[in-house]
Amino acid sequence: MSEPRPTYSVPIIITIPGLPPASQSPNSRAHWAQRHRERREFMDLVGWTLLSAGMKDLLIRRATVGLEYVVAAERRRDPDNWATRGGKPILDALVNMGILLDDDSKHVTLTPPLFTVDPSRAPLTIVRISGR
């Protein structure tokens, strides 16, 4: 029997190159196959980013997750759409990688997304995880 993985209590910051695909927005009219393919590709990107940062043996049982999108231009953005567009595939990837125990409301609190306009760094998705 394997030993239980240690829990992690220090805040984690993950920087993902790029933004979640627009096809993941609840307002997207993309074909289901395109939505599925782009979601899988983004989840793979999140997973590889976690592995390259050495975050494969963590387990957070109760987490608060915050998303920050670094974008190139100032314009009107709907936080609810962006929470769904990025939050769902990111949380699913964190569960698939074994970092979050589950992504239900008992185990995860998702804070409203933040937007930072910085053309020199954009596009980036920054994930902040705190918990125990």
Side-chain angles (χ1 to χ4, degrees), residues 2 5 50 55 61 64-65 67 93 96 102 105-106 112 115 119:
S2 65
R5 293 182 296 179
L50 293 167
M55 296 184 191
R61 297 179 189 286
T64 299
V65 179
L67 303 174
N96 290 348
D102 200 346
S105 61
K106 180 180 175 185
F115 299 94

Side-chain angles (χ1 to χ4, degrees), residues 12 43 53 74-75 94 105 124-125:
I12 301 168
M43 287 177 61
E74 179 71 46
R75 66 178 181 191
L94 291 169
S105 61
L124 289 176
T125 301

Side-chain angles (χ1 to χ4, degrees), residues 71-109:
V71 295
E74 179 71 46
R75 66 178 181 191
R76 193 167 102 74
R77 291 179 172 85
D78 185 341
D80 293 343
N81 289 342
W82 280 80
T84 303
R85 175 179 171 175
K88 182 65 176 154
I90 289 170
L91 292 177
D92 286 348
L94 291 169
V95 171
N96 290 348
M97 293 293 297
I99 292 174
L100 296 181
L101 187 61
D102 200 346
D103 63 351
D104 64 7
S105 61
K106 180 180 175 185
H107 296 95
V108 173
T109 301

Side-chain angles (χ1 to χ4, degrees), residues 23-24 32-42:
S23 65
Q24 301 309 295
W32 69 266
Q34 175 187 353
R35 289 177 56 93
H36 179 76
R37 183 184 68 252
E38 291 180 0
R39 180 177 182 274
R40 174 57 48 203
E41 289 171 355
F42 188 70

